[in-house]
Amino acid sequence: MFLKDYFGTIFKSIKSLLTGMRKTGYYFTHPKEILTEEYPDNRATLKMFDRFKGEVTMPHNENNEHRCTGCQACEIACPNGTIKIITKQEIKEDGKKKKAIEAFVYHLELCTLCNNCITSCPSDAIVMAQTYEHSVYDKTQLKKILNKPGSKIMEGVE
Amino acid sequence: MNQLLEISFSSLASSIHSWLSSAIANATILNVVEMAIAGVCLLVFLVPLCFVLGYMERKVAAFMQLRLGPNRVGPKGTLQIVADTVKLIFKEGLTPNASDKFLFNLAPIIVVVVSMLVMAPIAFAKNFQLWDLNIGVLYVTSISSIAVIGILMAGWSSYNKYSLLGAMRSGAQIVSYELSVGLSIISIVIMTGSLKISDIVMSQADGWWIFKGHLPIFISFVIFVIASTAEINRAPFDLSEAEQELTGGFHTEYSGMKFAMFLLAEYINLFVVSAMAATLFLGGWMPFHIGHWEAFNHIMDFIPSSLWFLGKTFAIIFIIMQFRWTFPRLRVDQLLNLEWKYLLPISMVNIILVTIMAIMGWYL
């Protein structure tokens, strides 16, 4: 019984060691399996996956219109005060006043990319972009105004 | 073709010898000059060898871990190791204040000198050997075990608990695994009946021992490779320098060139162990011959003997590197269990089998 256990251990361990060596041998002889991204060189072809969170952006359509109503839900949802929304009162044709955004200020240097602003937005005005190169020489360059100059709210978004 | 075959290491060595002996009359001075030339040749061989092994190790490691390895400095990263060496040369070689300064500085020298001494009886090519002494195998095993003194010295003199722990582990490990290495070497000595390296190589002219010696020699080959991996402190047996537990073990306090010397010694030891495995079990510089296939044997003879030797050696180095990047490190108790419960009893039984085989003549 003892001898059976003894040799059983030996054969079992040799088998498991050989399994491991077979795996590394396979990887050694198949360079196609290599996972390394040669980053600065493959900048042109590097594509980030859909759920990658790079920075908050506000998409505009071809008429320079966005979907932001200025409700400030994102500003309330933000845990560390990354978003500041400056609003103004617009007077429409029928004489009614309406709230609109003057500027959507976004501080990338404070942002933790937690995605809370995007989930809290009722009108889907902001999305996460797949950009990944954010380094700048001065942190003031990371303060961004997301709505483009002269843009206005899209028709039909309340 | 005959002219081409004339150019070999042995003919080169003998022509240098005859040229020198015509130039220098005094036999003692001639000996000294030849020794100096041999030493310089060895150094010229060893330093590029370490570069090659360092590059090879990093590339093998990278490919086995699905990485690319060094690929920026020089073509395919070949000059990376040169850049690293230059960096190490320019670094400051610190000596800790509380350390034993004499022993601290002596230890890396001892480790390197020991690993270079072991190169002496290795047969690099046909009739090309620095020193073909009649107890070559015994010389290799006995000199290589001095290295543990250097490691203990480094660990003790550093005045650092990690270094000391690493050195103590290394001592326990090398002393234990020496036994298995010795016993598996003895199995070849029993078959050959000689301790002389050139005799051992010549005895494999009609087939390497790993083929001629059937299962018992194969078992002792496997034991030799495992135990000698442990003896040169390489992963998975690198307990004495386990980075994660001991921050480098016995060479924690070393930096600059002193650290580079430990690295150099590690690679030379790796080469020596693989060269010994190739010499004892795979026929050294002996070409691959199959029984009575005259034509095949003749073609194999055209490949230079030095290439045969280096090819076999590098094959074994590759296997040892693959061990390193495949297996997890053993714990201390597992390490000693493996030696005293498995390798040593198996190699003792194996010796009896080999002896019976040798007496009865049950080999080719």
Side-chain angles (χ1 to χ4, degrees):
Chain A
M1 204 57 213
F2 166 74
L3 273 182
K4 196 184 155 199
D5 278 359
Y6 183 81
F7 287 107
T9 317
I10 292 176
F11 283 116
K12 233 167 76 186
S13 48
I14 288 177
K15 196 176 157 235
S16 70
L17 292 181
L18 286 180
T19 312
M21 285 185 71
R22 201 170 142 216
K23 194 74 188 166
T24 46
Y26 173 79
Y27 285 149
F28 184 77
T29 47
H30 291 74
K32 261 188 246 159
E33 301 264 343
I34 287 174
L35 299 170
T36 308
E37 300 269 0
E38 291 186 80
Y39 161 54
D41 293 346
N42 69 353
R43 199 181 265 149
T45 56
L46 186 59
K47 183 92 172 63
M48 280 296 164
F49 45 96
D50 290 341
R51 286 167 61 197
F52 181 78
K53 295 185 279 187
E55 64 174 321
V56 176
T57 51
M58 184 181 283
H60 289 63
N61 67 2
E62 63 275 8
N63 300 325
N64 202 15
E65 289 172 339
H66 56 76
R67 296 175 63 89
C68 182
T69 57
C71 70
Q72 293 173 318
C74 50
E75 189 176 341
I76 295 160
C78 184
N80 46 355
T82 303
I83 296 169
K84 281 274 174 297
I85 294 172
I86 301 162
T87 52
K88 62 182 177 187
Q89 296 292 327
E90 254 178 11
I91 300 164
K92 294 177 106 179
E93 300 92 57
D94 54 356
K96 280 182 184 170
K97 283 182 178 175
K98 194 167 185 281
K99 201 172 162 192
I101 55 167
E102 174 88 46
F104 189 109
V105 185
Y106 170 59
H107 292 271
L108 180 54
E109 79 270 26
L110 298 175
C111 185
T112 59
L113 304 170
C114 67
N115 216 29
N116 275 357
C117 51
I118 283 142
T119 49
S120 69
C121 184
S123 54
D124 295 333
I126 43 178
V127 292
M128 276 289 178
Q130 271 81 47
T131 51
Y132 47 89
E133 286 175 333
H134 294 307
S135 55
V136 287
Y137 285 103
D138 185 6
K139 77 169 181 183
T140 54
Q141 292 172 29
L142 291 171
K143 178 188 168 188
K144 295 179 180 179
I145 312 267
L146 294 190
N147 55 329
K148 289 181 187 160
S151 64
K152 62 181 199 314
I153 186 162
M154 207 179 280
E155 214 46 51
V157 177
E158 289 301 324
Chain B
M1 203 65 200
N2 266 333
Q3 198 60 39
L4 199 72
L5 282 178
E6 285 294 306
I7 304 165
S8 66
F9 282 113
S10 60
S11 66
L12 197 70
S14 58
S15 63
I16 288 174
H17 175 74
S18 57
W19 179 73
L20 273 178
S21 49
S22 68
I24 303 168
N26 190 328
T28 318
I29 296 173
L30 177 69
N31 250 338
V32 170
V33 168
E34 283 188 345
M35 278 177 195
I37 290 174
V40 169
C41 284
L42 196 61
L43 281 179
V44 167
F45 170 69
L46 284 180
V47 173
L49 177 80
C50 290
F51 284 0
V52 169
L53 287 181
Y55 178 70
M56 180 177 164
E57 169 120 89
R58 296 178 66 169
K59 274 292 186 190
V60 168
F63 281 127
M64 282 180 182
Q65 300 176 334
L66 303 183
R67 297 184 284 116
L68 283 169
N71 62 349
R72 296 284 145 176
V73 190
K76 298 254 169 202
T78 39
L79 295 177
Q80 180 68 51
I81 200 89
V82 179
D84 286 349
T85 313
V86 171
K87 183 204 77 174
L88 278 176
I89 289 171
F90 282 115
K91 267 185 144 179
E92 185 185 2
L94 282 172
T95 308
N97 231 354
S99 67
D100 185 335
K101 297 205 171 46
F102 176 68
L103 290 184
F104 186 82
N105 292 319
L106 187 65
I109 299 171
I110 284 188
V111 173
V112 169
V113 165
V114 163
S115 55
M116 282 187 181
L117 277 178
V118 184
M119 299 292 279
I122 286 171
F124 291 96
K126 200 174 185 176
N127 301 325
F128 187 70
Q129 212 170 340
L130 285 181
W131 186 25
D132 189 15
L133 75 173
N134 57 357
I135 49 162
V137 173
L138 184 64
Y139 173 88
V140 169
T141 49
S142 52
I143 295 289
S144 62
S145 52
I146 298 178
V148 70
I149 294 177
I151 289 172
L152 280 174
M153 208 184 254
W156 182 258
S157 63
S158 293
Y159 197 69
N160 180 326
K161 53 182 174 286
Y162 298 121
S163 306
L164 186 60
L165 266 175
M168 288 301 143
R169 283 183 182 188
S170 169
Q173 177 183 335
I174 293 181
V175 167
S176 323
Y177 278 84
E178 201 93 282
L179 292 167
S180 302
V181 172
L183 285 176
S184 48
I185 288 177
I186 281 175
S187 65
I188 288 295
V189 172
I190 289 171
M191 293 302 241
T192 318
S194 171
L195 289 164
K196 202 173 179 179
I197 298 261
S198 58
D199 282 354
I200 289 173
V201 175
M202 287 315 291
S203 71
Q204 307 181 59
D206 54 344
W208 306 343
W209 277 121
I210 196 163
F211 302 130
K212 278 202 299 183
H214 310 306
L215 195 60
I217 295 288
F218 182 74
I219 291 172
S220 60
F221 173 70
V222 172
I223 290 174
F224 183 85
V225 171
I226 293 172
S228 53
T229 310
E231 221 195 318
I232 56 175
N233 284 323
R234 276 184 70 84
F237 305 102
D238 62 342
L239 291 154
S240 60
E241 45 188 292
E243 291 102 34
Q244 293 85 353
E245 310 151 32
L246 297 180
T247 65
F250 64 89
H251 58 60
T252 305
E253 295 288 352
Y254 285 88
S255 59
M257 269 327 268
K258 280 180 240 166
F259 171 71
M261 279 166 106
F262 279 114
L263 215 61
L264 188 77
E266 189 194 324
Y267 284 126
I268 297 174
N269 281 334
L270 175 61
F271 180 81
V272 166
V273 159
S274 313
M276 281 309 289
T279 308
L280 294 172
F281 297 97
L282 302 180
W285 49 261
M286 212 42 106
F288 182 66
H289 283 171
I290 297 179
H292 300 293
W293 297 14
E294 293 298 334
F296 178 80
N297 292 350
H298 203 63
I299 292 168
M300 285 295 161
D301 284 338
F302 275 112
I303 301 173
S305 55
S306 49
L307 279 189
W308 276 108
F309 173 75
L310 286 178
K312 290 168 191 175
T313 308
F314 271 86
I316 291 171
I317 289 174
F318 177 79
I319 290 174
I320 293 180
M321 282 180 179
Q322 195 176 358
F323 285 171
R324 174 165 187 171
W325 300 109
T326 307
F327 304 143
R329 183 185 301 125
L330 280 77
R331 260 190 343 250
V332 182
D333 59 326
Q334 291 168 337
L335 178 94
L336 295 177
N337 267 354
L338 175 67
E339 164 63 19
W340 295 101
K341 280 191 182 168
Y342 293 97
L343 292 188
L344 190 64
I346 291 173
S347 46
M348 278 174 163
V349 173
N350 200 36
I351 283 285
I352 298 172
L353 288 179
V354 169
T355 317
I356 294 170
M357 258 172 58
I359 292 172
M360 307 297 274
W362 286 343
Y363 56 91
L364 287 171

